[in-house]
Amino acid sequence: MDMFGKIELKAPREQVWRALNDPVILKACIPGCEELERTADDEFIATAVIKVGPIKAKFKGKVRLSDIQPTVGYSISGEGQGGIAGFAAGSAKVQLEDMPGGTVLSYYTEAKVGGKLAQLGGRLIDSTAKKLAAQFFDEFRGQVERQSAAADHA
């Protein structure tokens, strides 16, 4: 399954870049995230509880950053194991561009699932993935724009 999109953020690109690399902000934005810990400059470990249709599972895995171009973008990839529910793996390319009054964040993602999750059917998995992505980006926008507004008033 592939997804792509753009969101406009009312914040400078440098601030958006810092947020994309801040484990505290990312943990707050990832639906179901219980743990997100940086283990290296380009690596995190994560635990998240995700519900897809009738299946709810705790996924544990690693997330790696690559092709890092500060304030421009990076690639992110990861794989998580959800016990008997199966596995989820994916990658995303994230790019930042200036726009009047803020920053445009563009993303392209690819994901795959296996095990019981794969048996649920593509339509349910796709709709859940889109819902989770929308939740992430809505929360990310809120976090970044609140920080930007606070910085403007400081």
Side-chain angles (χ1 to χ4, degrees), residues 55-76:
I55 297 176
K56 183 176 181 180
K58 182 180 278 196
F59 289 87
K60 295 181 178 187
K62 287 187 178 182
V63 178
R64 286 191 181 85
L65 305 177
S66 60
D67 303 323
I68 301 168
Q69 299 174 27
T71 73
V72 175
Y74 58 49
S75 294
I76 184 169

Side-chain angles (χ1 to χ4, degrees), residues 4 10 27 72 89 94 96-97 101 109-110 113 128 130 147:
F4 57 91
K10 295 176 185 166
K27 180 182 176 193
V72 175
V94 178
L96 304 176
E97 297 175 60
T109 66
E110 298 175 311
V113 295
T128 301
K130 287 176 183 170
Q147 277 189 344

Side-chain angles (χ1 to χ4, degrees), residues 24-147:
V24 173
I25 290 175
L26 294 174
K27 180 182 176 193
C29 297
I30 298 169
C33 189
E34 295 181 344
E35 176 187 15
L36 184 68
E37 180 183 335
R38 187 182 294 274
T39 56
D41 285 345
D42 62 350
E43 189 173 279
F44 299 88
I45 56 170
T47 303
V49 176
I50 305 293
K51 186 173 187 315
V52 181
I55 297 176
K56 183 176 181 180
K58 182 180 278 196
F59 289 87
K60 295 181 178 187
K62 287 187 178 182
V63 178
R64 286 191 181 85
L65 305 177
S66 60
D67 303 323
I68 301 168
Q69 299 174 27
T71 73
V72 175
Y74 58 49
S75 294
I76 184 169
S77 61
E79 183 170 323
Q81 297 294 326
I84 61 169
F87 75 90
S91 63
K93 177 81 175 154
V94 178
Q95 291 194 289
L96 304 176
E97 297 175 60
D98 291 325
M99 68 170 205
T103 304
V104 175
L105 182 153
S106 302
Y107 63 92
Y108 173 78
T109 66
E110 298 175 311
K112 62 183 174 181
V113 295
K116 283 190 176 184
L117 285 174
Q119 297 170 6
L120 291 175
R123 200 179 287 163
L124 178 59
I125 292 168
D126 285 353
S127 68
T128 301
K130 287 176 183 170
K131 182 179 100 180
L132 294 173
Q135 289 174 350
F136 172 85
F137 285 114
D138 286 347
E139 183 61 29
F140 186 76
R141 176 185 286 122
Q143 292 272 339
V144 169
E145 291 181 354
R146 281 190 296 277
Q147 277 189 344

